Amino acid sequence: MASSTVRPETQDDLDRQDVARRLLDSAATLAYDPATEVDWETPLDKDFHGASPEWSTLYGTRYWSELSEAQRKELTRHEAASVASTGIWFEMILQQMVLRDIYAKDPTDDEFQWALTEIAEECRHSIMFARGAKKLGAPPYRPHRVAVELGRAFKTLAFGESAYAAILVAEEVLDVMQRDWMRDERVVPFVRTINNIHVVEESRHMKFARDETRKRLAKAGWVRRQISAFVIAIASYVIVTSMVNKGVYANAGLDSERALREAEANEHHKSMMRSSCSGLMDFLASARLLTKPALIFYKRAHLI
């Protein structure tokens, strides 16, 4: 009997197709168009914060206690715009990695179609974040040049679990922040809407990233796992430390040197980051990606 050249589908293949199909169904029934869902027309109301004040890098410091309420609101608006700009930067990296991963694969496959759907959602998110940052009255915040160049290398070279776990880290950290912001009535309404849209749609992306990370690690040996853990940790450090641009303090009218000094020593903000990332760290531990070298970077980024 002639042997078939078509590889039979395994249970893992069927499971992945089932996940992709469910994600496609979710995207078809629960998706938003930021162009119409977000109130872009109403002028910015400066009586609101841009983010929950407890998430400010200065919250809990002596400097924060000296600021007027108007100054605090101005600062959180700039910090929210910086986080949005960092989100755009990483979403552009994400889109390129996913496109590279599915290049020349079967376009009729549910996983292929889900990947394109995720990219389409990320494009809408990036435009939404850009419009939101502009409406907050902030200048364009970009990561440090070193981070930009590291991102350029990462999006070109990263593959498999290194790419998908790094995607997960960025999405999880943003998700926890934005869940607080979208429920907080002190936050300007259009930012709450942006955060709600992102949280709902990113839940699908995080599900996909977790599944892809597990799948790619299934047959990984010790050496590959060690290398991947180290790469993911470095990427996580660069992403998290790039979220709030140092320029936000001067642009909010504060003493930049003092603000930077107090922000770097702010134990409240470090505690917020650690507590918000407990679920993410549990996942990385279950995937055996919290190696000793990796832990150095997670601790330096105050994720653990």
Side-chain angles (χ1 to χ4, degrees):
M1 181 181 293
S3 62
S4 171
T5 58
V6 179
R7 182 178 63 85
E9 286 192 314
T10 65
Q11 186 58 48
D12 284 345
D13 293 328
L14 294 173
D15 289 344
R16 291 200 302 272
Q17 290 299 313
D18 181 59
V19 169
R21 196 171 299 113
R22 285 187 282 113
L23 291 172
L24 283 167
D25 290 343
S26 174
T29 58
L30 190 59
Y32 299 93
D33 180 359
T36 57
E37 296 285 345
V38 180
D39 178 7
W40 300 114
E41 302 304 321
T42 302
L44 174 66
D45 187 342
K46 292 191 175 183
D47 285 335
F48 287 92
H49 284 276
S52 295
E54 290 79 8
W55 275 101
S56 173
T57 54
L58 288 182
Y59 184 88
T61 64
R62 181 176 295 178
Y63 199 2
W64 179 269
S65 68
E66 296 173 10
L67 298 178
S68 68
E69 195 61 24
Q71 287 176 308
R72 293 172 180 176
K73 290 171 181 175
E74 181 72 8
L75 174 61
T76 61
R77 287 195 293 270
H78 280 273
E79 288 178 320
S82 178
V83 170
S85 296
T86 302
I88 294 169
W89 167 63
F90 195 75
E91 283 179 346
M92 292 178 72
I93 294 173
L94 180 161
Q95 291 168 47
Q96 293 178 76
M97 290 193 299
V98 174
L99 272 175
R100 184 159 48 81
D101 190 44
I102 65 171
Y103 177 71
K105 291 186 178 178
D106 180 1
T108 66
D109 188 274
D110 286 331
E111 280 192 290
F112 182 97
Q113 293 176 29
W114 161 249
L116 289 182
T117 301
E118 177 171 348
I119 291 167
E121 289 183 342
E122 296 292 11
C123 285
R124 291 197 299 274
H125 294 168
S126 293
I127 295 169
M128 175 176 72
F129 284 160
R131 294 185 70 180
K134 184 176 181 179
K135 186 168 180 177
L136 284 168
Y141 288 113
R142 297 183 180 89
H144 190 278
R145 182 60 182 268
V146 173
V148 170
E149 296 307 321
L150 287 172
R152 194 187 307 279
F154 185 73
K155 61 91 175 172
T156 304
L157 301 173
F159 67 93
E161 65 278 0
S162 296
Y164 283 101
I167 289 170
L168 180 62
V169 169
E171 291 173 340
E172 289 265 11
V173 173
L174 276 175
D175 182 72
V176 174
M177 289 183 187
Q178 292 179 328
R179 285 180 186 274
D180 284 349
W181 301 358
M182 74 183 194
R183 301 186 185 104
D184 193 337
E185 294 184 357
R186 296 169 297 176
V187 174
V188 66
F190 83 90
V191 169
R192 295 179 63 194
T193 303
I194 287 173
N195 291 328
N196 183 67
I197 291 171
H198 197 248
V199 163
V200 170
E201 297 189 345
E202 284 296 314
S203 65
R204 295 190 284 266
H205 304 180
M206 290 188 291
K207 167 68 174 171
F208 185 61
R210 289 191 199 97
D211 287 346
E212 287 297 309
T213 300
R214 292 191 190 98
K215 178 183 76 175
R216 307 306 173 95
L217 282 170
K219 297 181 180 179
W222 185 86
V223 172
R224 174 173 164 178
R225 196 177 293 270
Q226 293 290 311
I227 293 171
S228 294
F230 188 66
V231 170
I232 295 162
I234 293 174
S236 302
Y237 175 82
V238 173
I239 293 163
V240 171
T241 57
S242 297
M243 282 191 169
V244 178
N245 189 288
K246 293 180 179 180
V248 300
Y249 307 113
N251 290 329
L254 307 186
D255 178 339
S256 185
E257 289 187 8
R258 181 185 176 187
L260 282 168
R261 187 169 60 249
E262 295 203 24
E264 288 173 0
N266 189 354
E267 292 301 325
H268 169 80
H269 192 260
K270 293 174 186 178
S271 176
M272 291 284 284
M273 294 297 293
R274 284 192 296 269
S275 62
S276 69
C277 290
S278 59
L280 171 63
M281 292 300 118
D282 287 344
F283 172 79
L284 294 176
S286 71
R288 291 185 289 156
L289 291 171
L290 289 186
T291 60
K292 287 184 178 179
L295 282 170
I296 294 171
F297 288 92
Y298 291 122
K299 288 177 180 177
R300 287 186 64 184
H302 310 295
L303 299 182
I304 196 168

